[in-house]
Amino acid sequence: MSEQRDALKETSSNRALSRDVALAAGVSQSTVSRALRDDPRISSTTRERVRQAAEQLGYVPNRVARNLRERRSRVVGVMVQDIDNAFYTQLLADMHQELLVAGYAFTLIVDPLHLRSDVTRLRNLLDASFDGLIITTATLDSDAPEALHRRGIPIVLSVRSIPGLEVDIVESDNVAAGQLAARHLVSLGHRDIAAIMGPEVTSTTQHRIVGANQVLGHSLPPERVFNGPYSHESGHSHCRRLLQGDRPPTAIMAANDVIAIGVIDAARQMGYSVPDDISVIGFDDIHMASWHSFRLTTVRQDTKAIAVQSARRLIERIEDPDGPVTHDKYPVSLTMRATTAAPK
Amino acid sequence: MSEQRDALKETSSNRALSRDVALAAGVSQSTVSRALRDDPRISSTTRERVRQAAEQLGYVPNRVARNLRERRSRVVGVMVQDIDNAFYTQLLADMHQELLVAGYAFTLIVDPLHLRSDVTRLRNLLDASFDGLIITTATLDSDAPEALHRRGIPIVLSVRSIPGLEVDIVESDNVAAGQLAARHLVSLGHRDIAAIMGPEVTSTTQHRIVGANQVLGHSLPPERVFNGPYSHESGHSHCRRLLQGDRPPTAIMAANDVIAIGVIDAARQMGYSVPDDISVIGFDDIHMASWHSFRLTTVRQDTKAIAVQSARRLIERIEDPDGPVTHDKYPVSLTMRATTAAPK
DNA sequence: ATATAATGTGCATTCGTTTGCTCACTGTAC
DNA sequence: GTACAGTGAGCAAACGAATGCACATTATAT
């Protein structure tokens, strides 16, 4: 048993190193490094010999050492508010894919606090040796993005933006999104519309409200606008309260599909029929929106394009820190399904 | 402009180093390191002076260098099949939390291929400098876990297991889960039950089928058992086909809630009522299962406990590679909601 | 045969920390 | 005044790979 212990101990520390390969192949350590990285200066015979030796010993280069030497980690951080949220989850899946093919790994940073100056947190971001950061949790009062930017850490603001910051931004045209939703509801004949939005300090929320107001010709009355997290629960409870009130609205605009589904659930639970008694429109068009139980009418944003482009922009920024700052704004479109209709 | 360029260039490379702090504080670089790590040998005056200098310069230790020296990265990999899946997403959220407080970051590894010997992939896992790996994608024919284990890389098998491998396992009692589901359906009077399961090579699928068969007193007929991915789509299409067949079953057991919801959607879409026309039971009890639109009866597994314990076991294993191998098996329970009833 | 270029390797340094060991200094006991 | 702890700090060697430069060796030109 103690023998096995020792064996194990040895095993865990006897990962073959480049110098072991060098010894086995009868060349120098630097030649091993070059051969394995396909340096043209190494003859093909030597290269082959080194390859074999490496294979034999199961040699895999130590990435930490390489990172130190190359002064980069090929790891990027992706900040999201909440992993357990279908929108972020779709976004992450596509970002992951894009980063992967570019040779980057990513580590998830969950940031429920919207990047408000939490010194410890900021320190962690700085010392975490990311090559860059995709931030999807920016709020208008986030201070971390600027601090990180000043430190020279490549960042891209994805999904949500902060005005006046000279960093790459990838987002949807949220003003147009607000317009689209409002125009759809108005054209169906709705006049009393409520909005269950995300946190007020969020660019998406503000832009969409602006867009909606433009179409309505007036500002949504404050008692018809609700702010809260992007959760099923938020949609559910706000809708419940609305329907219990004196004069419920005839339509509800939700900040995203997850909220919208919460709204639908609450309405149904209270015996209301969607869309006969009340119309509901969402944003995003996540997979779930098309499920038969919901068939949610929603303003589609090109989540995949945003995910992919965010990853690309970050990589570009990492590889060329001084390139021009970009701002991608993707068009949105209306996906009509079965949760909106003319009011009774 | 070109001035700013230069400034930027400098900025990105002039992160303060410990030697800069040393210079500023008038001490040696090693003293800086010790002072910042609260080494008792450093006097409090010196410590304070170093602290101030570090603060002043905005010094943050380079984690890559530290990792190289300490021979560890404080990063663990978590392998999941699919990010965009509510079950994994919940699991990840809790693992993340647990790892975070223990000082570990995690990087996500998406592994749709079930860890079948993909040499490139394995290489990537090996050289990625993870301190350990939580694997939720093991199948009975995965060979990577054994290879990784042999290499001395700490791993824990989470959710799914592989028999005969001397590694830590954290899972639910899936035989009991199968029994529970079958017993519930049988006690309601169901005799013709179909099962829409995950991939056949999965321990969870096999154990649950075993449990169900034990209760039924016979094996489910092959034409009533379907294997497929853990997706809404799989539940949807299999259910559709079942209901279009000659004699549809009176109840469907799904391998997880996501599939079950696909089943419900398909049934409703075809005009069947759940549970009046057909009963549906899921596994997991994800948040969504309780949404009013589904109210899914399901066998609950303690996802949170599994997530937390997997993280803990991995950390223990990292910190004590030679400790005894553990096998946690969590009990499951029946959550009765509104998708099961007696057959007509 | 000698100079010259082209080719392939190796030596030694570097990346930025942590840490074993040494050493200078102070204060106490003899 | 010498010896001896007990402090506090510095020197220098890791950690494991990448790479600039020097240096062999061979092929080519003269």
Side-chain angles (χ1 to χ4, degrees):
Chain A
M1 189 55 205
S2 101
E3 242 177 48
Q4 203 191 335
R5 262 212 165 84
D6 291 352
L8 264 177
K9 238 177 230 155
E10 270 182 33
T11 305
S12 69
S13 64
N14 75 354
R15 241 180 92 156
L17 307 183
S18 57
R19 83 166 72 100
D20 300 329
V21 177
L23 201 65
V27 297
S28 75
Q29 181 263 326
S30 37
T31 298
V32 171
S33 174
R34 291 201 176 96
L36 262 25
R37 322 189 81 226
D38 290 325
D39 188 305
R41 289 179 302 176
I42 301 296
S43 69
S44 47
T45 26
T46 308
R47 193 198 318 289
E48 204 37 53
R49 196 145 38 90
V50 171
R51 283 247 176 82
Q52 300 237 340
E55 181 71 26
Q56 180 77 26
L57 296 173
Y59 169 71
V60 179
N62 178 317
R63 194 176 278 185
V64 175
R66 175 183 300 187
N67 288 344
L68 179 59
R69 174 65 220 225
E70 293 184 338
R71 295 155 139 251
R72 67 157 164 198
S73 62
R74 288 198 165 279
V75 173
V76 310
V78 179
M79 312 195 59
V80 299
Q81 202 121 268
D82 175 12
I83 319 183
D84 189 12
N85 174 307
F87 173 71
Y88 286 117
T89 259
Q90 274 184 228
L91 198 73
L92 283 177
D94 291 324
M95 279 182 188
H96 179 272
Q97 183 56 32
E98 189 66 19
L99 290 169
L100 193 73
V101 302
Y104 286 82
F106 83 73
T107 114
L108 214 50
I109 304 163
V110 178
D111 168 43
L113 293 177
H114 307 287
L115 278 172
R116 300 286 293 285
S117 55
D118 174 337
V119 178
T120 319
R121 191 161 190 90
L122 193 58
R123 271 186 55 93
N124 281 332
L125 290 178
L126 287 168
D127 85 345
S129 69
F130 298 125
D131 287 348
L133 233 41
I134 295 179
I135 297 176
T136 70
T137 54
T139 55
L140 299 172
D141 58 348
S142 306
D143 43 12
E146 199 192 336
L148 292 165
H149 179 55
R150 264 205 320 269
R151 285 297 198 109
I153 297 182
I155 63 177
V156 358
L157 261 31
S158 181
V159 179
R160 300 191 204 158
S161 59
I162 300 177
L165 201 57
E166 281 295 299
V167 302
D168 300 293
I169 296 177
V170 182
E171 63 180 344
S172 287
D173 185 342
N174 286 303
V175 172
Q179 291 173 342
L180 224 50
R183 195 171 299 130
H184 174 61
L185 293 178
V186 166
S187 75
L188 284 172
H190 292 279
R191 294 296 172 264
D192 187 4
I193 300 171
I196 303 178
M197 306 306 287
E200 205 175 353
V201 288
T202 254
S203 67
T204 45
T205 293
Q206 299 215 344
H207 291 162
R208 287 173 190 170
I209 289 287
V210 165
N213 287 345
Q214 285 174 359
V215 168
L216 296 175
H218 63 266
S219 288
L220 279 165
E223 72 274 16
R224 285 309 198 203
V225 179
F226 303 87
N227 294 291
Y230 289 100
S231 66
H232 183 273
E233 161 57 19
S234 173
H236 194 276
S237 61
H238 281 123
C239 175
R240 202 178 178 79
R241 220 164 308 139
L242 272 171
L243 295 183
Q244 281 168 343
D246 292 342
R247 271 186 331 100
T250 63
I252 294 179
M253 230 171 86
N256 74 2
D257 290 349
V258 175
I259 293 178
I261 288 170
V263 167
I264 294 174
D265 269 348
R268 285 184 182 156
Q269 194 167 2
M270 297 177 71
Y272 284 74
S273 159
V274 177
D276 296 339
D277 299 324
I278 188 161
S279 287
V280 179
I281 187 167
F283 279 101
D284 294 346
D285 201 9
I286 58 180
H287 300 322
M288 220 188 293
S290 69
W291 290 1
H292 183 264
S293 296
F294 303 121
R295 312 232 295 124
L296 181 67
T297 294
T298 189
V299 177
R300 175 169 226 289
Q301 67 173 318
D302 196 344
T303 311
K304 175 158 192 170
I306 291 180
V308 168
Q309 186 72 348
S310 299
R312 288 204 184 133
R313 289 299 189 196
L314 181 61
I315 293 168
E316 285 170 17
R317 177 63 53 209
I318 290 170
E319 285 166 5
D320 176 15
D322 305 329
V325 173
T326 64
H327 187 159
D328 299 292
K329 195 178 277 187
Y330 285 88
V332 295
S333 59
L334 187 66
T335 301
M336 263 189 280
R337 296 206 184 87
T339 58
T340 48
K344 284 192 296 199
Chain B
M1 188 57 204
S2 104
E3 240 176 50
Q4 203 190 338
R5 262 211 164 86
D6 291 352
L8 264 177
K9 238 178 228 155
E10 271 182 33
T11 305
S12 71
S13 63
N14 74 354
R15 238 180 95 157
L17 307 182
S18 56
R19 86 166 70 98
D20 301 328
V21 178
L23 202 64
V27 295
S28 75
Q29 184 263 331
S30 39
T31 298
V32 171
S33 174
R34 291 202 173 95
L36 263 24
R37 322 190 80 227
D38 289 325
D39 188 305
R41 288 179 303 176
I42 302 297
S43 69
S44 47
T45 26
T46 308
R47 192 198 320 288
E48 204 37 52
R49 196 147 37 91
V50 171
R51 282 245 176 84
Q52 300 236 341
E55 181 69 26
Q56 181 78 26
L57 297 173
Y59 169 70
V60 179
N62 179 316
R63 194 177 277 184
V64 175
R66 175 184 302 192
N67 288 344
L68 178 58
R69 174 65 219 223
E70 292 184 340
R71 295 158 139 251
R72 67 160 165 196
S73 62
R74 289 201 164 279
V75 173
V76 310
V78 179
M79 312 195 59
V80 300
Q81 202 123 268
D82 176 12
I83 319 184
D84 190 12
N85 175 307
F87 173 71
Y88 286 117
T89 259
Q90 275 184 227
L91 197 73
L92 283 177
D94 291 323
M95 278 182 188
H96 180 272
Q97 183 55 32
E98 189 67 19
L99 290 169
L100 193 72
V101 301
Y104 285 82
F106 84 70
T107 115
L108 214 50
I109 305 162
V110 178
D111 168 44
L113 292 178
H114 306 286
L115 278 173
R116 299 285 292 287
S117 56
D118 174 337
V119 179
T120 317
R121 193 160 189 88
L122 192 58
R123 274 184 53 94
N124 281 331
L125 291 178
L126 287 169
D127 85 344
S129 70
F130 298 125
D131 286 348
L133 232 42
I134 296 179
I135 298 176
T136 70
T137 54
T139 54
L140 300 171
D141 57 349
S142 305
D143 43 13
E146 198 192 336
L148 292 165
H149 179 55
R150 265 206 319 268
R151 286 298 197 107
I153 296 182
I155 62 177
V156 358
L157 261 33
S158 181
V159 180
R160 301 192 201 156
S161 59
I162 300 177
L165 200 56
E166 282 294 299
V167 302
D168 299 292
I169 296 177
V170 182
E171 63 180 344
S172 287
D173 185 342
N174 286 302
V175 172
Q179 292 172 343
L180 225 48
R183 195 171 299 131
H184 175 60
L185 294 177
V186 166
S187 75
L188 284 171
H190 292 278
R191 294 296 171 264
D192 188 2
I193 300 171
I196 304 179
M197 306 306 286
E200 204 174 355
V201 289
T202 253
S203 69
T204 45
T205 294
Q206 299 215 343
H207 291 162
R208 287 175 189 168
I209 290 286
V210 165
N213 286 345
Q214 284 173 1
V215 168
L216 296 174
H218 63 266
S219 289
L220 278 166
E223 73 274 15
R224 285 306 197 203
V225 180
F226 303 87
N227 294 292
Y230 288 100
S231 66
H232 183 274
E233 162 57 19
S234 172
H236 195 275
S237 60
H238 280 122
C239 176
R240 202 179 178 80
R241 219 164 308 140
L242 272 171
L243 294 183
Q244 280 168 343
D246 292 343
R247 270 187 332 102
T250 63
I252 295 180
M253 230 171 85
N256 73 3
D257 290 349
V258 176
I259 294 178
I261 287 171
V263 167
I264 294 175
D265 269 348
R268 286 184 182 157
Q269 195 166 3
M270 296 177 72
Y272 285 72
S273 159
V274 177
D276 297 339
D277 299 323
I278 188 161
S279 287
V280 179
I281 187 169
F283 279 101
D284 293 347
D285 200 10
I286 57 180
H287 300 322
M288 219 188 296
S290 70
W291 290 1
H292 182 264
S293 295
F294 303 121
R295 311 232 296 124
L296 181 65
T297 294
T298 189
V299 177
R300 174 171 226 290
Q301 67 173 316
D302 195 344
T303 310
K304 175 158 192 169
I306 290 181
V308 168
Q309 186 71 349
S310 300
R312 288 204 185 133
R313 289 299 190 197
L314 181 61
I315 293 168
E316 284 169 18
R317 177 64 52 209
I318 290 169
E319 285 166 4
D320 177 15
D322 305 328
V325 173
T326 64
H327 188 160
D328 298 292
K329 194 178 277 187
Y330 285 88
V332 294
S333 59
L334 186 67
T335 300
M336 265 188 279
R337 295 204 185 88
T339 57
T340 49
K344 284 192 297 200

